[in-house]
Amino acid sequence: MAKIRERNKELIIQAASEIFAERGFAATKTIDIAARAGLPKANVYYYFKTKENLYRSVLESIVEPLLQAATPFYDDSDPTIAFKSYIRAKIRISQQHPHASKVFASEIMHGAPHLPDDIKAQLMEQTRRSSEQIEFWIKQGLMAPVDPQHLLFTIWASTQTYADFDWQIAAVTGKEKLTDKTTIPLPA
Amino acid sequence: MAKIRERNKELIIQAASEIFAERGFAATKTIDIAARAGLPKANVYYYFKTKENLYRSVLESIVEPLLQAATPFYDDSDPTIAFKSYIRAKIRISQQHPHASKVFASEIMHGAPHLPDDIKAQLMEQTRRSSEQIEFWIKQGLMAPVDPQHLLFTIWASTQTYADFDWQIAAVTGKEKLTDKTTIPLPA
DNA sequence: GTCTATAAGGTGATAGAC
DNA sequence: GTCTATCACCTTATAGAC
């Protein structure tokens, strides 16, 4: 039955996100993913064929939200509103997909060795278009003349740091686990 | 001769920093480290006994500079000068030890599974003392009343992002490799 | 101290019964 | 579709000649 298939694939991707986020691709054993999903290891291979495929599926699960996050740059002609929406969306992603978000960060940090080229291209194109729009706003005098790319880097760094370095932040603040209120209150 | 010993250990740590930074602990093969250092694999084990020891040596090579970076908070009674020095020091570390810096970030991101407890304790203690000093400045009315810990998190994120995500930044900006001038110009 | 050859152990992947 | 038993390979680590 197709329902079982979908349910199991979802269970496996969820378990895989968590363990890949904790340990990284190479340090993760498929048997541990299977155990956390409550299934035998062979099922993981039955559904995903290889460990690498499974890892890519986790990466792909976060790419759609990431691409979606940049739409304010195209919909809106007001930079104040656009940046507010963009930053909100980025923080939401860190909160709603903390594991996949971290897997993605780790992947980028190590030079994206497993990220498919077409996804790389989409993300690059999105960044290019966003920079272009920022450039346009600057030319129109709607915002301060900053380097668009470096502005984006700063936004990425500050919105992702709470998801990526959650262990460090929990350790320093003395919390067991991060909650909504540990992190940045979202602008209304 | 002791000189050969020191030279070889240095060669191996340098090669290890680079490869651990590129691929992470688990994905790194000791034979690749040996090859990059220009030595046979057995020498790596002769000098460091285990792969984990070697990895820890790389981590330890960055801890001293990190602890050193926070001294402005204790030497100086003026927050403006102290923060300027601190941020300079953090950026210097990212520039001068980009590989070890990245290894450290990756380690923290994955919950510091290999970081020795005494080093963890030192880093935590340093953060506690820095927060305390910031608190003190705020009480004296020398700076705006922000949360000291979250201020530190933001500084960490923005100073490390150029080293940690160098691949992404190079890809977006179209540079082959990051140089001094690609990144943030240091305040004088 | 250096290096080759090998042992020991673990992990991704699959065959084949159910 | 599910799962147990097993294979094939790879990597850490070491023994022992030089």
Side-chain angles (χ1 to χ4, degrees):
Chain A
M1 202 188 195
K3 274 218 171 144
I4 294 178
R5 190 181 184 83
E6 286 314 305
R7 201 186 60 96
N8 281 351
K9 284 187 77 170
E10 197 42 56
L11 276 173
I12 293 167
I13 287 200
Q14 186 52 38
S17 300
E18 293 173 19
I19 305 192
F20 282 138
E22 281 168 22
R23 309 181 201 165
F25 177 75
T28 294
K29 298 172 236 181
T30 49
I31 197 170
D32 291 340
I33 294 176
R36 188 163 307 187
L39 294 167
K41 185 177 63 156
N43 286 33
V44 172
Y45 286 94
Y46 173 69
Y47 286 120
F48 291 92
K49 196 67 185 171
T50 67
K51 179 182 168 184
E52 175 127 10
N53 272 347
L54 173 53
Y55 180 76
R56 267 204 292 265
S57 298
V58 172
L59 282 180
E60 282 165 10
S61 76
I62 196 74
V63 169
E64 181 54 37
L66 283 178
L67 290 174
Q68 196 60 29
T71 52
F73 285 126
Y74 319 131
D75 296 348
D76 243 296
S77 45
D78 174 26
T80 309
I81 297 172
F83 278 106
K84 204 177 262 185
S85 306
Y86 180 61
I87 291 169
R88 275 185 75 92
K90 292 286 285 182
I91 291 177
R92 277 253 176 71
I93 292 171
S94 288
Q95 289 178 334
Q96 292 180 344
H97 311 274
H99 306 298
S101 195
K102 203 160 156 178
V103 173
F104 184 81
S106 186
E107 173 69 13
I108 297 298
M109 195 162 157
H110 293 107
H114 305 283
L115 195 68
D117 282 340
D118 58 315
I119 293 185
K120 273 188 214 171
Q122 281 183 68
L123 291 166
M124 291 285 293
E125 171 61 10
Q126 181 211 42
T127 303
R128 203 192 52 72
R129 286 181 59 190
S130 303
S131 299
E132 225 170 68
Q133 177 65 279
I134 294 171
E135 202 81 74
F136 175 74
W137 284 326
I138 291 171
K139 277 208 185 102
Q140 291 209 313
L142 292 173
M143 59 179 282
V146 296
D147 183 307
Q149 294 178 336
H150 291 274
L151 174 58
L152 289 175
F153 297 154
T154 305
I155 293 175
W156 295 347
S158 45
T159 53
Q160 278 167 216
T161 198
Y162 284 81
D164 296 350
F165 297 98
D166 56 350
W167 173 84
Q168 184 180 39
I169 288 170
V172 168
T173 57
K175 318 251 175 189
E176 272 297 303
K177 262 190 90 180
L178 299 186
T179 65
D180 240 33
K181 288 174 184 163
T182 311
T183 58
I184 311 156
L186 291 174
Chain B
M1 203 188 195
K3 274 218 173 146
I4 293 177
R5 189 181 184 83
E6 286 315 304
R7 200 187 59 98
N8 280 351
K9 284 187 78 169
E10 198 41 57
L11 277 173
I12 292 167
I13 287 200
Q14 187 52 38
S17 300
E18 293 173 19
I19 303 191
F20 282 138
E22 280 168 22
R23 309 182 201 165
F25 176 75
T28 295
K29 296 173 239 179
T30 49
I31 197 170
D32 290 340
I33 294 176
R36 187 163 309 188
L39 295 166
K41 184 178 64 157
N43 286 32
V44 172
Y45 286 95
Y46 173 69
Y47 286 120
F48 291 93
K49 195 69 185 170
T50 67
K51 179 182 167 182
E52 175 128 10
N53 272 347
L54 172 53
Y55 180 76
R56 267 204 292 268
S57 298
V58 171
L59 282 180
E60 282 165 11
S61 75
I62 196 75
V63 169
E64 181 54 36
L66 282 179
L67 291 173
Q68 197 60 31
T71 51
F73 285 125
Y74 319 130
D75 297 348
D76 242 295
S77 45
D78 174 27
T80 308
I81 297 171
F83 277 107
K84 202 177 264 186
S85 306
Y86 180 62
I87 291 169
R88 273 186 76 91
K90 292 287 285 185
I91 291 177
R92 276 254 176 70
I93 292 170
S94 287
Q95 289 177 334
Q96 292 180 345
H97 310 274
H99 306 298
S101 195
K102 203 160 155 177
V103 174
F104 184 81
S106 186
E107 173 69 14
I108 297 298
M109 195 162 157
H110 293 106
H114 305 282
L115 196 68
D117 282 340
D118 58 315
I119 293 186
K120 272 187 215 172
Q122 282 183 69
L123 291 166
M124 290 286 292
E125 172 61 12
Q126 182 212 40
T127 303
R128 203 192 53 70
R129 286 181 60 190
S130 303
S131 299
E132 225 170 69
Q133 178 65 278
I134 294 172
E135 202 80 74
F136 175 74
W137 283 327
I138 292 171
K139 277 206 184 101
Q140 291 208 313
L142 293 172
M143 58 178 282
V146 296
D147 183 308
Q149 292 178 338
H150 290 274
L151 175 58
L152 289 175
F153 297 153
T154 305
I155 293 175
W156 295 347
S158 45
T159 54
Q160 279 169 215
T161 199
Y162 283 81
D164 296 350
F165 296 98
D166 56 351
W167 173 84
Q168 184 181 40
I169 288 171
V172 168
T173 57
K175 317 251 176 189
E176 271 298 303
K177 261 189 89 180
L178 300 185
T179 66
D180 240 33
K181 287 174 186 166
T182 311
T183 59
I184 312 157
L186 291 173

